[in-house]
C-alpha cells in the first residue's frame, strides 16, 4: 500500500495461482492518474500526476540505487542486503577482481575435473540467472546431477506450492554465476562447487636432494637397524609417543590462559598415572591408539592438582545416562531432544564431508554422545573410527567390531562399511531419542524383538505418535516428532544406497517444508536362542555371523 496523495491510496497485491504469478495494482476512488514505468536500467517506478505542480511524482522505486539491478555486482559476486547498507560481496571461495567489487569475482582455486572438489552451502540466497531447470528430482538426485557433471558449478533444490503438479524443482548452473542476491527475505540454499585446497609440493631441489641423501645413508641405516633393531625400536616408539603428547599438551597449555575451564593435565602426571603407559593399565587398542583405564587418568589429574579438569568432567555425562534412566529422563524435554538430534547430525556431517579427511565413526550410540552443562551433544570415543582418503567411498574388514543393534546389515553380514554405516547408526539413535527406549529392550511386546520393528509397525498403522516417550508426549509438536521418526526410518533402510547422506539428513531435519520420500520396510537382526542384550552388546570376530543372528524383515 502506497500513499499517492492525502486523499488517495495505491494498493499492490501479489497473486499466486500456482500456474500464474502477477501483481495487481488498484487505486482508491478519486485518485489522480497513475502509471508504472520500467526504465533502461531495470528500475520499476510507480508514478502519479500532481495537478498542483502539473508534473509527475515518483511514489515508489525498486530497486533503490545501483544495488539490486541486474548483475550489478558482476560475475560470481552477489548483492548483500542483510546489512544496514547493501554491498557487493564475493561468493565463498572467490576473490574480487579489483578493488571495485562491482566488477565481479574470480575463483581462488580453479576447478579441474581430474582433481578433487566439494560443495559449500550458502543460505538465504536468491539464486543466479542462466540456470538449467530439471523437474521431477529428489534432493539427492539433484545433488548427483551436479556432482557427476564436471562442468556444473552450483545447484539448488526447492519444494514448490502444492498447487503445482510437480512439487519439486532442481536448478543447476554451468559457467559463471550472475545476478545473485543474499537477503533474509529469501530462504533458498545455494550449493556452490569449489576446488579442494592444493597439496603443497616440494621444490625441485628437495625432490633431488632427498633421494640422493637416502641412497647415501641407506647402508648405514641398515647396519644400525640390524645391530640395535629391538632396543632402538622400542626407544624410538616411546620418544615419538612422548613428542606427540607433549605437542598436544603444549597447545592445550597455551589455550588454558584464554579458557579457565579447559581441561589440562601435564604429561608427567599422565606418565605417573599410567605407570609409564604400562600394559597393565591398558583397556585395549582402537583405530587411533591405546586406551587406558579412566581411573588411572583421573588419579593423575587429581595428583597433578588440576581441579578444573575434574570439574569439567563431572559436569558432563553421556546421553544414555539421561535417556534410559526413568529418574533423570525428565531433564530431556522435547526441545532438548530435538537439539541433540540436530547437533549429532551436524557433527556426523562434519566428520563425513566438512573435515579434511572423511572419518567413519563405526560406533555411534547413546553412550558415546556426551552432553555438556547446556545439554549440547559431543560425539566421543573414536577408538574404532576409520579414515577414508581421496575418493575412497567403501571399505571391508574381516573383523566386525561394534555395538549390537547399531551396526548396519551390510557391516554385520559382509564387513562392508561406509558413511552410510554411520547413517544407519544415527537412525537407530534417533528412534531411541524419540522413544526413550533402547534398540534391544525387554519393554517390547513379544511380537517386536527390537525398536526398529516396533517403529515400523506403528508407522504402517498410522500410529507413530505412540512411539513418543511418555515423559514428553504431551508437550511436543507432532510435526517435529513425525519428521524425526520419518527420517529415522529412512536412515535404517537395509540398502545403503537408499539411505540419505548426512547432508540430506541435516537438510530434512532443519527444513520443515521439505518433502520426504517414503521409507522402505527395514530388516533387523535378532539374536538366536534368546541371548540377552548384554551378551551381544559388543561383537568381535569373523564377518560370518550366520550362527549368532537371525535376519528378519521383508
Amino acid at each position: 500500500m502506497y500513499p499517492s496523495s492525502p486523499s488517495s491510496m495505491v494498493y499492490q497485491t501479489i497473486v499466486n495461482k500456482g500456474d500464474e504469478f502477477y501483481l495487481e495494482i488498484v487505486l482508491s476512488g478519486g485518485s489522480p492518474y497513475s502509471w508504472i514505468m520500467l526504465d533502461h536500467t531495470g528500475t520499476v517506478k510507480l508514478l502519479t500526476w500532481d495537478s498542483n505542480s502539473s508534473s509527475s511524482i515518483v511514489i515508489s522505486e525498486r530497486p533503490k540505487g545501483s544495488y539490486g539491478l541486474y548483475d550489478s555486482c558482476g560475475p560470481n559476486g552477489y548483492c548483500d542486503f542483510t546489512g544496514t547498507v547493501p554491498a557487493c560481496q564475493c561468493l565463498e571461495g572467490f576473490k574480487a577482481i579489483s578493488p571495485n567489487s562491482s566488477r565481479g569475482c574470480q575463483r581462488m582455486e580453479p576447478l579441474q575435473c581430474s582433481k578433487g572438489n566439494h560443495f559449500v552451502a550458502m543460505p538465504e540466497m536468491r539464486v543466479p540467472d542462466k540456470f538449467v531447470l530439471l523437474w521431477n528430482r529428489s534432493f539427492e538426485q539433484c545433488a548427483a546431477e551436479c556432482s557427476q557433471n564436471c562442468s556444473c558449478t552450483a545447484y539448488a533444490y526447492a519444494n514448490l506450492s502444492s498447487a503445482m503438479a510437480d512439487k519439486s524443482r532442481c536448478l543447476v548452473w554451468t559457467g559463471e554465476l550472475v545476478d545473485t542476491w543474499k537477503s533474509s527475505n529469501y530462504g533458498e540454499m545455494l550449493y556452490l562447487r569449489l576446488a579442494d585446497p592444493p597439496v603443497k609440493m616440494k621444490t625441485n631441489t628437495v625432490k633431488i636432494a632427498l633421494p640422493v641423501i637416502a641412497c647415501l645413508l641407506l647402508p648405514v641405516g641398515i647396519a644400525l637397524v640390524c645391530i640395535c633393531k629391538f632396543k632402538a625400536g622400542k626407544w624410538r616408539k616411546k620418544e615419538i609417543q612422548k613428542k606427540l603428547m607433549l605437542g598436544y599438551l603444549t597447545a592445550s597449555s597455551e589455550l588454558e590462559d584464554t579458557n579457565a575451564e579447559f581441561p589440562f593435565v601435564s604429561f608427567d602426571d599422565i606418565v605417573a598415572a599410567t605407570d609409564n603407559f604400562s600394559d597393565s593399565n591398558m583397556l585395549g587398542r582402537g583405530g587411533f591408539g591405546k586406551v587406558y583405564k579412566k581411573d588411572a587418568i583421573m588419579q593423575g589429574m587429581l595428583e597433578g592438582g588440576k581441579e578444573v579438569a575434574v570439574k569439567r568432567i563431572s559436569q558432563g555425562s553421556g546421553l544414555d545416562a539421561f535417556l534410559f534412566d526413568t529418574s533423570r529422563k525428565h531433564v530431556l524435554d522435547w526441545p532438548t531432544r530435538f537439539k541433540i538430534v540436530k547437533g549429532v547430525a551436524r557433527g556426523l556431517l562434519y566428520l563425513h564431508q566438512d573435515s579434511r579427511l572423511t572419518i567413519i565413526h563405526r560406533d555411534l550410540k547413546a553412550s558415546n554422545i556426551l552432553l555438556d552443562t547446556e545439554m549440547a551433544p559431543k560425539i566421543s570415543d573414536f577408538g574404532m573410527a576409520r579414515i577414508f582418503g581421496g575418493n575412497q567411498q567403501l571399505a571391508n574388514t574381516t573383523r566386525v567390531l561394534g555395538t549390537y543393534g547399531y551396526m548396519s546389515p551390510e557391516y554385520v553380514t559382509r564387513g562392508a562399511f561406509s558413511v552410510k554405516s554411520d547413517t544407519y547408526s544415527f537412525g537407530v539413535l534417533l528412534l531411541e531419542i524419540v522413544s526413550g527406549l533402547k534398540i534391544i529392550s525387554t519393554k517390547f511386546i513379544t511380537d517386536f524383538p527390537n525398536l526398529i520393528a516396533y517403529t515400523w509397525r506403528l508407522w504402517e498403522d498410522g500410529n507413530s505418535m505412540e512411539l513418543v516417550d511418555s515423559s514428553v508426549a504431551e508437550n511436543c509438536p507432532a510435526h517435529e516428532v513425525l519428521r524425526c521418526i520419518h527420517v529415522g526410518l529412512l536412515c535404517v533402510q537395509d540398502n545403503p544406497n537408499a539411505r540419505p547422506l548426512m547432508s540430506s539428513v541435516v537438510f530434512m531435519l532443519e527444513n520443515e517444508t521439505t518433502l520426504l520420500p517414503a521409507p522402505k520396510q527395514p530388516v533387523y537382526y535378532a539374536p538366536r536362542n534368546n541371548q540377552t542384550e548384554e551378551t551381544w552388546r559388543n561383537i568381535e570376530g569373523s564377518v560370518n555371523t550366520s550362527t549368532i543372528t537371525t535376519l528378519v524383515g521383508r
Side-chain angles (χ1 to χ4, degrees), residues 235 237-253 263-278 292 296-297 300-301 303-304 306:
W235 175 84
K237 183 176 180 180
K238 288 184 179 180
E239 285 298 308
I240 291 175
Q241 197 172 39
K242 183 176 180 180
K243 287 180 180 179
L244 290 175
M245 184 63 74
L246 283 174
Y248 168 73
L249 293 175
T250 299
S252 300
S253 180
F264 172 79
V265 62
S266 70
F267 179 71
D268 292 337
D269 292 338
I270 295 178
V271 171
T274 59
D275 191 17
N276 198 22
F277 300 102
S278 171
Y292 290 88
I297 302 299
M301 290 181 176
E303 291 175 352
K306 303 299 180 180

mmCIF file of all heavy atoms in Angstrom, residues 235 237-253 263-278 292 296-297 300-301 303-304 306:
data_model
loop_
_atom_site.group_PDB
_atom_site.id
_atom_site.type_symbol
_atom_site.label_atom_id
_atom_site.label_comp_id
_atom_site.label_asym_id
_atom_site.label_seq_id
_atom_site.Cartn_x
_atom_site.Cartn_y
_atom_site.Cartn_z
ATOM 1 N N TRP A 235 62.748 -47.744 21.976
ATOM 2 C CA TRP A 235 63.089 -46.391 22.413
ATOM 3 C C TRP A 235 62.470 -45.336 21.486
ATOM 4 O O TRP A 235 61.910 -44.337 21.928
ATOM 5 C CB TRP A 235 64.600 -46.240 22.443
ATOM 6 C CG TRP A 235 65.053 -44.841 22.754
ATOM 7 C CD1 TRP A 235 65.194 -44.277 23.974
ATOM 8 C CD2 TRP A 235 65.406 -43.835 21.801
ATOM 9 N NE1 TRP A 235 65.614 -42.986 23.865
ATOM 10 C CE2 TRP A 235 65.760 -42.675 22.531
ATOM 11 C CE3 TRP A 235 65.474 -43.790 20.416
ATOM 12 C CZ2 TRP A 235 66.166 -41.509 21.920
ATOM 13 C CZ3 TRP A 235 65.866 -42.619 19.799
ATOM 14 C CH2 TRP A 235 66.211 -41.494 20.544
ATOM 15 N N LYS A 237 59.862 -45.618 19.554
ATOM 16 C CA LYS A 237 58.411 -45.596 19.685
ATOM 17 C C LYS A 237 57.982 -44.740 20.874
ATOM 18 O O LYS A 237 57.060 -43.931 20.789
ATOM 19 C CB LYS A 237 57.882 -47.021 19.831
ATOM 20 C CG LYS A 237 56.365 -47.108 19.895
ATOM 21 C CD LYS A 237 55.936 -48.552 19.946
ATOM 22 C CE LYS A 237 54.420 -48.660 20.006
ATOM 23 N NZ LYS A 237 53.972 -50.065 20.056
ATOM 24 N N LYS A 238 58.677 -44.903 22.001
ATOM 25 C CA LYS A 238 58.342 -44.129 23.193
ATOM 26 C C LYS A 238 58.633 -42.645 23.002
ATOM 27 O O LYS A 238 57.884 -41.784 23.458
ATOM 28 C CB LYS A 238 59.116 -44.674 24.398
ATOM 29 C CG LYS A 238 58.603 -46.025 24.887
ATOM 30 C CD LYS A 238 59.348 -46.470 26.127
ATOM 31 C CE LYS A 238 58.801 -47.812 26.626
ATOM 32 N NZ LYS A 238 59.522 -48.271 27.833
ATOM 33 N N GLU A 239 59.757 -42.343 22.318
ATOM 34 C CA GLU A 239 60.109 -40.944 22.100
ATOM 35 C C GLU A 239 59.092 -40.242 21.202
ATOM 36 O O GLU A 239 58.699 -39.103 21.437
ATOM 37 C CB GLU A 239 61.510 -40.846 21.477
ATOM 38 C CG GLU A 239 62.630 -41.114 22.468
ATOM 39 C CD GLU A 239 62.617 -40.090 23.592
ATOM 40 O OE1 GLU A 239 62.601 -38.888 23.305
ATOM 41 O OE2 GLU A 239 62.602 -40.514 24.771
ATOM 42 N N ILE A 240 58.678 -40.942 20.135
ATOM 43 C CA ILE A 240 57.694 -40.358 19.222
ATOM 44 C C ILE A 240 56.375 -40.130 19.961
ATOM 45 O O ILE A 240 55.733 -39.082 19.828
ATOM 46 C CB ILE A 240 57.479 -41.270 18.001
ATOM 47 C CG1 ILE A 240 58.752 -41.282 17.121
ATOM 48 C CG2 ILE A 240 56.268 -40.823 17.184
ATOM 49 C CD1 ILE A 240 58.687 -42.241 15.961
ATOM 50 N N GLN A 241 55.987 -41.125 20.749
ATOM 51 C CA GLN A 241 54.750 -41.008 21.522
ATOM 52 C C GLN A 241 54.816 -39.831 22.485
ATOM 53 O O GLN A 241 53.857 -39.073 22.656
ATOM 54 C CB GLN A 241 54.513 -42.319 22.275
ATOM 55 C CG GLN A 241 53.100 -42.504 22.780
ATOM 56 C CD GLN A 241 52.908 -43.891 23.339
ATOM 57 O OE1 GLN A 241 53.786 -44.431 23.994
ATOM 58 N NE2 GLN A 241 51.751 -44.475 23.072
ATOM 59 N N LYS A 242 55.989 -39.662 23.120
ATOM 60 C CA LYS A 242 56.169 -38.569 24.072
ATOM 61 C C LYS A 242 56.116 -37.223 23.366
ATOM 62 O O LYS A 242 55.498 -36.274 23.857
ATOM 63 C CB LYS A 242 57.497 -38.753 24.798
ATOM 64 C CG LYS A 242 57.759 -37.690 25.869
ATOM 65 C CD LYS A 242 59.035 -37.989 26.626
ATOM 66 C CE LYS A 242 59.302 -36.937 27.698
ATOM 67 N NZ LYS A 242 60.536 -37.219 28.445
ATOM 68 N N LYS A 243 56.750 -37.103 22.196
ATOM 69 C CA LYS A 243 56.768 -35.835 21.466
ATOM 70 C C LYS A 243 55.367 -35.444 21.008
ATOM 71 O O LYS A 243 54.966 -34.281 21.087
ATOM 72 C CB LYS A 243 57.702 -35.935 20.259
ATOM 73 C CG LYS A 243 59.185 -35.938 20.630
ATOM 74 C CD LYS A 243 60.046 -36.048 19.380
ATOM 75 C CE LYS A 243 61.541 -36.049 19.742
ATOM 76 N NZ LYS A 243 62.394 -36.189 18.546
ATOM 77 N N LEU A 244 54.615 -36.436 20.509
ATOM 78 C CA LEU A 244 53.258 -36.150 20.079
ATOM 79 C C LEU A 244 52.398 -35.678 21.242
ATOM 80 O O LEU A 244 51.627 -34.724 21.129
ATOM 81 C CB LEU A 244 52.637 -37.400 19.441
ATOM 82 C CG LEU A 244 53.211 -37.816 18.089
ATOM 83 C CD1 LEU A 244 52.598 -39.140 17.641
ATOM 84 C CD2 LEU A 244 52.964 -36.749 17.036
ATOM 85 N N MET A 245 52.533 -36.347 22.390
ATOM 86 C CA MET A 245 51.759 -35.963 23.563
ATOM 87 C C MET A 245 52.156 -34.578 24.064
ATOM 88 O O MET A 245 51.322 -33.750 24.406
ATOM 89 C CB MET A 245 51.945 -37.000 24.669
ATOM 90 C CG MET A 245 51.093 -36.731 25.904
ATOM 91 S SD MET A 245 49.328 -36.810 25.569
ATOM 92 C CE MET A 245 49.152 -38.588 25.423
ATOM 93 N N LEU A 246 53.467 -34.315 24.078
ATOM 94 C CA LEU A 246 53.944 -33.008 24.530
ATOM 95 C C LEU A 246 53.478 -31.901 23.601
ATOM 96 O O LEU A 246 53.136 -30.807 24.038
ATOM 97 C CB LEU A 246 55.475 -33.014 24.624
ATOM 98 C CG LEU A 246 56.072 -33.729 25.846
ATOM 99 C CD1 LEU A 246 57.579 -33.787 25.728
ATOM 100 C CD2 LEU A 246 55.665 -33.028 27.137
ATOM 101 N N GLY A 247 53.461 -32.195 22.292
ATOM 102 C CA GLY A 247 52.986 -31.197 21.339
ATOM 103 C C GLY A 247 51.538 -30.849 21.571
ATOM 104 O O GLY A 247 51.132 -29.686 21.546
ATOM 105 N N TYR A 248 50.712 -31.887 21.837
ATOM 106 C CA TYR A 248 49.288 -31.631 22.105
ATOM 107 C C TYR A 248 49.097 -30.865 23.407
ATOM 108 O O TYR A 248 48.334 -29.908 23.487
ATOM 109 C CB TYR A 248 48.537 -32.959 22.160
ATOM 110 C CG TYR A 248 47.143 -32.820 22.698
ATOM 111 C CD1 TYR A 248 46.136 -32.242 21.931
ATOM 112 C CD2 TYR A 248 46.849 -33.240 23.983
ATOM 113 C CE1 TYR A 248 44.860 -32.092 22.421
ATOM 114 C CE2 TYR A 248 45.579 -33.083 24.484
ATOM 115 C CZ TYR A 248 44.580 -32.525 23.696
ATOM 116 O OH TYR A 248 43.325 -32.384 24.198
ATOM 117 N N LEU A 249 49.825 -31.303 24.435
ATOM 118 C CA LEU A 249 49.633 -30.672 25.735
ATOM 119 C C LEU A 249 50.189 -29.252 25.763
ATOM 120 O O LEU A 249 49.706 -28.399 26.501
ATOM 121 C CB LEU A 249 50.291 -31.527 26.824
ATOM 122 C CG LEU A 249 49.625 -32.893 27.050
ATOM 123 C CD1 LEU A 249 50.412 -33.705 28.061
ATOM 124 C CD2 LEU A 249 48.193 -32.723 27.504
ATOM 125 N N THR A 250 51.220 -28.974 24.960
ATOM 126 C CA THR A 250 51.724 -27.603 24.866
ATOM 127 C C THR A 250 50.665 -26.690 24.279
ATOM 128 O O THR A 250 50.434 -25.577 24.756
ATOM 129 C CB THR A 250 52.998 -27.567 23.994
ATOM 130 O OG1 THR A 250 53.990 -28.391 24.608
ATOM 131 C CG2 THR A 250 53.515 -26.147 23.867
ATOM 132 N N ALA A 251 49.989 -27.197 23.210
ATOM 133 C CA ALA A 251 48.905 -26.412 22.619
ATOM 134 C C ALA A 251 47.768 -26.212 23.609
ATOM 135 O O ALA A 251 47.168 -25.145 23.702
ATOM 136 C CB ALA A 251 48.384 -27.107 21.359
ATOM 137 N N SER A 252 47.491 -27.256 24.403
ATOM 138 C CA SER A 252 46.444 -27.144 25.412
ATOM 139 C C SER A 252 46.818 -26.120 26.466
ATOM 140 O O SER A 252 45.990 -25.358 26.953
ATOM 141 C CB SER A 252 46.207 -28.505 26.070
ATOM 142 O OG SER A 252 45.817 -29.451 25.116
ATOM 143 N N SER A 253 48.118 -26.080 26.836
ATOM 144 C CA SER A 253 48.573 -25.125 27.854
ATOM 145 C C SER A 253 48.416 -23.704 27.370
ATOM 146 O O SER A 253 48.070 -22.802 28.124
ATOM 147 C CB SER A 253 50.038 -25.411 28.207
ATOM 148 O OG SER A 253 50.504 -24.505 29.182
ATOM 149 N N PRO A 263 40.174 -28.377 30.122
ATOM 150 C CA PRO A 263 40.817 -29.444 30.905
ATOM 151 C C PRO A 263 42.267 -29.630 30.496
ATOM 152 O O PRO A 263 42.578 -29.770 29.322
ATOM 153 C CB PRO A 263 39.971 -30.686 30.545
ATOM 154 C CG PRO A 263 39.345 -30.358 29.244
ATOM 155 C CD PRO A 263 39.133 -28.876 29.213
ATOM 156 N N PHE A 264 43.185 -29.625 31.469
ATOM 157 C CA PHE A 264 44.604 -29.723 31.177
ATOM 158 C C PHE A 264 45.271 -30.586 32.229
ATOM 159 O O PHE A 264 44.984 -30.488 33.427
ATOM 160 C CB PHE A 264 45.233 -28.321 31.186
ATOM 161 C CG PHE A 264 46.736 -28.351 31.090
ATOM 162 C CD1 PHE A 264 47.360 -28.549 29.870
ATOM 163 C CD2 PHE A 264 47.525 -28.199 32.228
ATOM 164 C CE1 PHE A 264 48.739 -28.578 29.792
ATOM 165 C CE2 PHE A 264 48.899 -28.234 32.146
ATOM 166 C CZ PHE A 264 49.513 -28.417 30.922
ATOM 167 N N VAL A 265 46.141 -31.463 31.802
ATOM 168 C CA VAL A 265 46.933 -32.275 32.712
ATOM 169 C C VAL A 265 48.311 -32.437 32.091
ATOM 170 O O VAL A 265 48.446 -32.603 30.883
ATOM 171 C CB VAL A 265 46.262 -33.653 32.970
ATOM 172 C CG1 VAL A 265 46.152 -34.455 31.707
ATOM 173 C CG2 VAL A 265 47.033 -34.425 34.027
ATOM 174 N N SER A 266 49.346 -32.373 32.906
ATOM 175 C CA SER A 266 50.706 -32.423 32.379
ATOM 176 C C SER A 266 51.051 -33.833 31.925
ATOM 177 O O SER A 266 50.470 -34.825 32.370
ATOM 178 C CB SER A 266 51.705 -31.970 33.451
ATOM 179 O OG SER A 266 51.787 -32.950 34.485
ATOM 180 N N PHE A 267 52.032 -33.900 31.030
ATOM 181 C CA PHE A 267 52.478 -35.194 30.525
ATOM 182 C C PHE A 267 53.057 -36.046 31.652
ATOM 183 O O PHE A 267 52.838 -37.260 31.713
ATOM 184 C CB PHE A 267 53.529 -34.971 29.423
ATOM 185 C CG PHE A 267 54.073 -36.255 28.852
ATOM 186 C CD1 PHE A 267 53.282 -37.059 28.052
ATOM 187 C CD2 PHE A 267 55.373 -36.668 29.127
ATOM 188 C CE1 PHE A 267 53.785 -38.238 27.521
ATOM 189 C CE2 PHE A 267 55.867 -37.845 28.604
ATOM 190 C CZ PHE A 267 55.078 -38.632 27.800
ATOM 191 N N ASP A 268 53.778 -35.423 32.582
ATOM 192 C CA ASP A 268 54.345 -36.176 33.718
ATOM 193 C C ASP A 268 53.251 -36.812 34.561
ATOM 194 O O ASP A 268 53.406 -37.928 35.068
ATOM 195 C CB ASP A 268 55.202 -35.249 34.578
ATOM 196 C CG ASP A 268 56.467 -34.800 33.842
ATOM 197 O OD1 ASP A 268 56.879 -35.524 32.907
ATOM 198 O OD2 ASP A 268 57.015 -33.745 34.185
ATOM 199 N N ASP A 269 52.115 -36.087 34.735
ATOM 200 C CA ASP A 269 51.010 -36.645 35.506
ATOM 201 C C ASP A 269 50.446 -37.891 34.840
ATOM 202 O O ASP A 269 50.113 -38.878 35.490
ATOM 203 C CB ASP A 269 49.898 -35.602 35.668
ATOM 204 C CG ASP A 269 50.332 -34.453 36.567
ATOM 205 O OD1 ASP A 269 51.275 -34.651 37.364
ATOM 206 O OD2 ASP A 269 49.730 -33.369 36.474
ATOM 207 N N ILE A 270 50.307 -37.832 33.494
ATOM 208 C CA ILE A 270 49.757 -38.981 32.771
ATOM 209 C C ILE A 270 50.717 -40.161 32.831
ATOM 210 O O ILE A 270 50.301 -41.307 32.995
ATOM 211 C CB ILE A 270 49.465 -38.587 31.308
ATOM 212 C CG1 ILE A 270 48.360 -37.532 31.259
ATOM 213 C CG2 ILE A 270 49.056 -39.798 30.496
ATOM 214 C CD1 ILE A 270 48.034 -37.045 29.883
ATOM 215 N N VAL A 271 52.019 -39.893 32.685
ATOM 216 C CA VAL A 271 53.013 -40.965 32.778
ATOM 217 C C VAL A 271 52.939 -41.649 34.136
ATOM 218 O O VAL A 271 52.946 -42.881 34.246
ATOM 219 C CB VAL A 271 54.433 -40.416 32.523
ATOM 220 C CG1 VAL A 271 55.480 -41.472 32.840
ATOM 221 C CG2 VAL A 271 54.569 -39.958 31.068
ATOM 222 N N ALA A 272 52.806 -40.836 35.190
ATOM 223 C CA ALA A 272 52.735 -41.410 36.536
ATOM 224 C C ALA A 272 51.444 -42.196 36.733
ATOM 225 O O ALA A 272 51.435 -43.276 37.330
ATOM 226 C CB ALA A 272 52.846 -40.294 37.577
ATOM 227 N N ALA A 273 50.333 -41.666 36.216
ATOM 228 C CA ALA A 273 49.040 -42.312 36.423
ATOM 229 C C ALA A 273 48.934 -43.641 35.692
ATOM 230 O O ALA A 273 48.285 -44.572 36.159
ATOM 231 C CB ALA A 273 47.917 -41.380 35.967
ATOM 232 N N THR A 274 49.579 -43.761 34.526
ATOM 233 C CA THR A 274 49.501 -44.992 33.736
ATOM 234 C C THR A 274 50.706 -45.900 33.938
ATOM 235 O O THR A 274 50.860 -46.885 33.209
ATOM 236 C CB THR A 274 49.390 -44.643 32.235
ATOM 237 O OG1 THR A 274 50.533 -43.870 31.847
ATOM 238 C CG2 THR A 274 48.117 -43.847 31.957
ATOM 239 N N ASP A 275 51.549 -45.553 34.940
ATOM 240 C CA ASP A 275 52.766 -46.341 35.199
ATOM 241 C C ASP A 275 53.607 -46.428 33.927
ATOM 242 O O ASP A 275 53.964 -47.509 33.456
ATOM 243 C CB ASP A 275 52.411 -47.742 35.711
ATOM 244 C CG ASP A 275 53.645 -48.485 36.245
ATOM 245 O OD1 ASP A 275 54.668 -47.815 36.518
ATOM 246 O OD2 ASP A 275 53.572 -49.717 36.375
ATOM 247 N N ASN A 276 53.910 -45.237 33.387
ATOM 248 C CA ASN A 276 54.703 -45.130 32.152
ATOM 249 C C ASN A 276 54.039 -45.899 30.996
ATOM 250 O O ASN A 276 54.661 -46.628 30.254
ATOM 251 C CB ASN A 276 56.139 -45.614 32.358
ATOM 252 C CG ASN A 276 57.052 -45.107 31.262
ATOM 253 O OD1 ASN A 276 56.750 -44.110 30.591
ATOM 254 N ND2 ASN A 276 58.158 -45.781 31.054
ATOM 255 N N PHE A 277 52.722 -45.719 30.856
ATOM 256 C CA PHE A 277 51.932 -46.358 29.807
ATOM 257 C C PHE A 277 52.072 -47.883 29.861
ATOM 258 O O PHE A 277 52.232 -48.551 28.848
ATOM 259 C CB PHE A 277 52.335 -45.832 28.424
ATOM 260 C CG PHE A 277 52.138 -44.352 28.274
ATOM 261 C CD1 PHE A 277 53.216 -43.480 28.365
ATOM 262 C CD2 PHE A 277 50.879 -43.819 28.076
ATOM 263 C CE1 PHE A 277 53.040 -42.116 28.240
ATOM 264 C CE2 PHE A 277 50.699 -42.455 27.959
ATOM 265 C CZ PHE A 277 51.769 -41.595 28.037
ATOM 266 N N SER A 278 51.963 -48.409 31.053
ATOM 267 C CA SER A 278 52.086 -49.845 31.263
ATOM 268 C C SER A 278 50.885 -50.577 30.686
ATOM 269 O O SER A 278 49.750 -50.088 30.722
ATOM 270 C CB SER A 278 52.191 -50.149 32.767
ATOM 271 O OG SER A 278 52.096 -51.532 32.997
ATOM 272 N N TYR A 292 43.574 -46.292 27.875
ATOM 273 C CA TYR A 292 43.955 -46.635 29.239
ATOM 274 C C TYR A 292 42.781 -46.428 30.193
ATOM 275 O O TYR A 292 41.818 -45.725 29.895
ATOM 276 C CB TYR A 292 45.151 -45.777 29.685
ATOM 277 C CG TYR A 292 46.420 -46.144 28.974
ATOM 278 C CD1 TYR A 292 46.744 -45.552 27.751
ATOM 279 C CD2 TYR A 292 47.281 -47.111 29.482
ATOM 280 C CE1 TYR A 292 47.897 -45.908 27.075
ATOM 281 C CE2 TYR A 292 48.438 -47.458 28.811
ATOM 282 C CZ TYR A 292 48.743 -46.862 27.619
ATOM 283 O OH TYR A 292 49.878 -47.220 26.954
ATOM 284 N N ALA A 296 42.919 -44.497 36.242
ATOM 285 C CA ALA A 296 44.332 -44.126 36.288
ATOM 286 C C ALA A 296 44.536 -42.692 35.819
ATOM 287 O O ALA A 296 45.294 -41.922 36.410
ATOM 288 C CB ALA A 296 45.148 -45.088 35.420
ATOM 289 N N ILE A 297 43.833 -42.300 34.758
ATOM 290 C CA ILE A 297 43.957 -40.936 34.254
ATOM 291 C C ILE A 297 43.386 -39.942 35.270
ATOM 292 O O ILE A 297 43.965 -38.892 35.534
ATOM 293 C CB ILE A 297 43.225 -40.800 32.902
ATOM 294 C CG1 ILE A 297 43.799 -41.797 31.870
ATOM 295 C CG2 ILE A 297 43.348 -39.380 32.379
ATOM 296 C CD1 ILE A 297 45.258 -41.580 31.577
ATOM 297 N N GLY A 300 45.775 -39.346 38.009
ATOM 298 C CA GLY A 300 46.824 -38.428 37.588
ATOM 299 C C GLY A 300 46.377 -36.987 37.622
ATOM 300 O O GLY A 300 47.126 -36.080 37.996
ATOM 301 N N MET A 301 45.120 -36.755 37.236
ATOM 302 C CA MET A 301 44.604 -35.382 37.269
ATOM 303 C C MET A 301 44.522 -34.858 38.699
ATOM 304 O O MET A 301 44.849 -33.707 38.981
ATOM 305 C CB MET A 301 43.219 -35.345 36.618
ATOM 306 C CG MET A 301 43.231 -35.562 35.110
ATOM 307 S SD MET A 301 41.568 -35.474 34.434
ATOM 308 C CE MET A 301 41.919 -35.625 32.684
ATOM 309 N N GLU A 303 46.242 -35.941 41.339
ATOM 310 C CA GLU A 303 47.569 -35.770 41.924
ATOM 311 C C GLU A 303 48.257 -34.536 41.350
ATOM 312 O O GLU A 303 49.079 -33.905 42.010
ATOM 313 C CB GLU A 303 48.417 -37.016 41.675
ATOM 314 C CG GLU A 303 47.922 -38.234 42.456
ATOM 315 C CD GLU A 303 48.696 -39.492 42.101
ATOM 316 O OE1 GLU A 303 49.500 -39.424 41.151
ATOM 317 O OE2 GLU A 303 48.500 -40.522 42.748
ATOM 318 N N GLY A 304 47.935 -34.186 40.112
ATOM 319 C CA GLY A 304 48.554 -33.007 39.499
ATOM 320 C C GLY A 304 47.876 -31.721 39.912
ATOM 321 O O GLY A 304 48.294 -30.650 39.498
ATOM 322 N N LYS A 306 44.874 -30.607 39.125
ATOM 323 C CA LYS A 306 44.098 -29.968 38.063
ATOM 324 C C LYS A 306 42.606 -30.086 38.378
ATOM 325 O O LYS A 306 41.870 -30.871 37.792
ATOM 326 C CB LYS A 306 44.414 -30.608 36.699
ATOM 327 C CG LYS A 306 45.886 -30.560 36.338
ATOM 328 C CD LYS A 306 46.378 -29.124 36.243
ATOM 329 C CE LYS A 306 47.852 -29.051 35.887
ATOM 330 N NZ LYS A 306 48.354 -27.693 35.791
#
